[in-house]
Amino acid sequence: MHVTHLSLVDFRSYREAEVALEPGPTAFVGPNGQGKTNLVEAVDYVATLASHRVATDQPLVRVGADRAVLRTRVVRDAREALAEIEIVPGGTNRARLNRAPLPRPRELLGLLRAVVFSPEDLALVKGDPAERRRFLDQLLVARAPRLAGVRADYDRVLRQRNALLRTAAGARRAGGSGGTLRTLDSWDDHLARTGADLLAERLRLVEALRPLVARRHGDVAASAAPGHTTPTMTYAASVELPGAPSPEQGGAPGGVDTAALRSALLAEVASRRGDELERGVTLVGPHRDELRLELGGLPARGYASHGESWSLALSLRLASYDLLRADGDDPVLVLDDVFAELDTDRREHLVASVEGAEQVLVTAAVAADVPEALDGARFDVMDGAVRRAR
């Protein structure tokens, strides 16, 4: 799988850009602030319908424009496809595949797979639980695009239920009737159903990732920190998982029973109803869960050193790459301005890990930051222009 052409209109700093790409390593080189990352961000957006840098679409549209258009030609299994996305902040994004309109942009998911490693990945270790939930959900959708619908259904139910909780909380304080509460009961069922589906998929994913992360961390940290501690990764749900061992034993059931998860969510929602009405927000469900990362029995967040945090973040991304490759596809690998951040040992391990990848896109401020093993095609990026250097 690889991208052969990238076209941008009013995306980030670019009024227009046309970039022909090829398999193997490609480096985008230029001073900071010139638009290198914007190019690889566009590739990632086509793959995930999200940015690895910002949470909303508004910053993706060039100042003064009302929309942006991304076009990529993707080769997969020797067949080429043209993917187009129109980003309309405050409106409805649109997508086309081979010039044909799609009912929803998410119909494009699965055409292109990408794994991005960037300085922002330190948030996977040091950031809030939402960063780790996002990591899991994006990887879920990359592996099985249909799960984008599961995630969207859960988000819709959560928004509706939160709105009802706020209304019910206000009515309760005003001494109103329980009509809203009766409506809320039906949304409890929706929350438990969609939440159980999402929770079950996350649990299966964590089980698949755990040995890959441990192996990758062993390789990354062994050279950088002899005597390193093997990390532990556990899924901490907002409900007691049926048949789950304690967090010390792994924190996930041996088998995932979606019906049992649904019952557990319903029971916990019922027990927390009073608290939810007081606060006007849903307190139970996958949106409250956490992916716990620990080193030596201590939370990596808050206790891991800077180097340990980089090792763990790198291990998570490389494990994701391994998992997607095991599914039969070689995803596009994006290394966004990371080599200047890594010490020599971690740089060498990252390079060794990605040699042989079908397509690697690298950004760097100076050519010297691009490892020799990734010395392939190069584009110079300066003043909004992208020029092929070799």
Side-chain angles (χ1 to χ4, degrees):
M1 175 186 298
H2 61 276
V3 176
T4 62
H5 197 90
L6 174 65
S7 174
L8 310 180
V9 177
D10 290 329
F11 181 79
R12 288 285 196 178
S13 59
Y14 292 99
R15 184 182 296 274
E16 290 185 5
E18 301 287 340
V19 184
L21 298 168
E22 57 195 45
T26 296
F28 298 100
V29 179
N32 292 332
Q34 299 303 304
K36 305 182 303 295
T37 291
N38 298 346
L39 298 169
V40 295
E41 181 183 28
V43 173
D44 183 41
Y45 193 95
V46 173
T48 65
L49 302 184
S51 165
H52 66 283
R53 303 161 71 193
V54 293
T56 65
D57 284 347
Q58 184 65 59
L60 304 180
V61 178
R62 187 177 62 84
V63 175
D66 60 359
R67 65 195 63 210
V69 178
L70 308 179
R71 296 184 181 91
T72 56
R73 290 195 177 275
V74 180
V75 172
R76 182 176 184 179
D77 298 328
R79 300 176 64 182
E80 185 176 82
L82 173 64
E84 300 174 89
I85 300 176
E86 185 179 3
I87 303 172
V88 188
T92 302
N93 292 352
R94 290 180 281 271
R96 297 197 298 176
L97 178 61
N98 295 327
R99 307 293 184 184
L102 296 175
R104 295 175 298 270
R106 72 172 187 244
E107 301 295 326
L108 275 181
L109 292 170
L111 174 68
L112 174 65
R113 286 179 166 186
V115 173
V116 178
F117 186 50
S118 73
E120 286 82 6
D121 281 342
L122 274 184
L124 293 178
V125 180
K126 298 183 173 226
D128 293 333
E131 297 289 344
R132 291 175 285 282
R133 291 194 296 267
R134 183 170 179 257
F135 163 74
L136 290 177
D137 290 345
Q138 285 193 339
L139 184 53
L140 278 176
V141 172
R143 297 187 74 199
R146 67 174 181 81
L147 295 178
V150 173
R151 188 71 178 87
D153 288 345
Y154 181 76
D155 286 344
R156 177 183 56 83
V157 169
L158 185 62
R159 286 193 300 270
Q160 293 283 352
R161 192 172 185 277
N162 281 341
L164 279 171
L165 276 171
R166 288 191 295 270
T167 300
R172 192 183 193 192
R173 287 190 291 269
S177 68
T180 304
L181 290 180
R182 286 191 293 273
T183 303
L184 191 59
D185 287 340
S186 68
W187 284 101
D188 291 352
D189 291 332
H190 293 313
L191 183 83
R193 176 179 52 80
T194 58
D197 290 342
L198 179 58
L199 177 54
E201 296 296 341
R202 284 185 183 174
L203 290 170
R204 294 186 184 104
L205 177 60
V206 171
E207 286 297 295
L209 268 179
R210 186 178 289 116
L212 299 177
V213 170
R215 179 173 63 81
R216 281 297 192 178
H217 188 269
D219 294 339
V220 172
S223 59
H228 70 280
T229 301
T230 300
T232 59
M233 184 172 69
T234 59
Y235 191 90
S238 59
V239 297
E240 184 175 347
L241 299 177
S246 68
E248 293 76 15
Q249 296 173 296
V256 178
D257 184 338
T258 305
L261 292 176
R262 189 176 307 161
S263 297
L265 282 167
L266 270 176
E268 188 66 15
V269 163
S271 71
R272 299 295 301 277
R273 174 64 63 83
D275 294 335
E276 290 186 331
L277 287 173
E278 283 293 324
R279 298 174 59 177
V281 68
T282 300
L283 300 176
V284 178
H287 68 290
R288 308 284 295 191
D289 296 351
E290 162 71 303
L291 178 65
R292 290 180 182 164
L293 303 172
E294 295 185 350
L295 288 170
L298 296 173
R301 181 189 180 194
Y303 286 91
S305 69
H306 187 71
E308 288 172 332
S309 296
W310 268 119
S311 288
L312 192 46
L314 180 55
S315 301
L316 288 167
R317 287 302 186 195
L318 289 176
S320 303
Y321 182 65
D322 292 340
L323 198 59
L324 291 175
R325 292 187 85 179
D327 289 342
D329 282 321
D330 200 349
V332 175
L333 186 61
V334 176
L335 306 177
D336 181 21
D337 203 25
V338 295
F339 289 109
E341 300 281 345
L342 299 176
D343 58 29
T344 301
D345 290 322
R346 291 181 177 89
R347 282 169 59 114
E348 290 178 354
H349 180 79
L350 177 55
V351 171
S353 298
V354 304
E355 283 188 293
E358 186 169 343
Q359 188 171 51
V360 184
L361 305 180
V362 182
T363 69
V366 295
D369 283 341
V370 181
E372 185 177 346
L374 298 179
D375 188 20
R378 195 181 96 188
F379 291 85
D380 290 336
V381 183
M382 181 71 72
D383 297 328
V386 185
R387 181 176 60 86
R388 179 72 182 253
R390 66 163 183 268

